[in-house]
Amino acid sequence: MPQGIRVFAKEFLVENYDCSEYLSKYEGGYYDNEACLQLLLPISEVAIDTKHQHLVIGHAGSDGIEFCYRIHKPGVWVFYPIEFEFQMVAANIGQLIEGWCNGTIKV
């Protein structure tokens, strides 16, 4: 992908989603060795769900549950596709990883 397109895409994401921490610290994603789970996706694998307008940045490992950012809303959210519901789970990525690893965030 040409550099100019990458810069434009990142600017679009930062303007519309509360994801600057993700783009600056977690572009490579985050793999939880203990759970054997790619908790956060690398930036090259993120996608915008056009139906619900959320930026999918990770998966919980079951039932299609996604970790995401919502357009123009702060924090990290979980999306439950079976119920079509969102729930805020952390103020930022650092809190998501910490809570996931210590068991205080469960989905």
Side-chain angles (χ1 to χ4, degrees):
M1 177 184 305
Q3 183 65 24
I5 292 173
R6 273 186 244 146
V7 170
F8 173 77
K10 284 183 178 182
E11 287 177 13
F12 172 83
L13 293 176
V14 169
E15 288 173 6
N16 292 284
Y17 298 93
D18 184 27
C19 65
S20 57
E21 178 191 26
Y22 176 73
L23 294 174
S24 66
K25 295 182 182 177
Y26 298 98
E27 277 193 30
Y30 178 83
Y31 185 81
D32 181 1
N33 288 318
E34 197 168 307
C36 298
L37 175 69
Q38 184 73 42
L39 183 66
L40 294 177
L41 299 169
I43 188 72
S44 61
E45 296 179 27
V46 301
I48 295 174
D49 179 306
T50 56
K51 183 175 182 180
H52 300 100
Q53 298 299 309
H54 62 278
L55 177 66
V56 179
I57 60 166
H59 301 282
S62 65
D63 297 328
I65 298 170
E66 300 169 333
F67 291 108
C68 62
Y69 289 108
R70 296 182 71 193
I71 195 161
H72 304 298
K73 294 185 187 267
V76 180
W77 297 73
V78 64
F79 175 65
Y80 298 97
I82 295 171
E83 297 89 356
F84 296 103
E85 291 181 0
F86 289 94
Q87 179 183 5
M88 187 173 166
V89 291
N92 56 51
I93 295 288
Q95 285 182 357
L96 172 67
I97 292 171
E98 181 180 340
W100 182 264
C101 292
N102 70 22
T104 58
I105 293 179
K106 298 177 183 178
V107 296

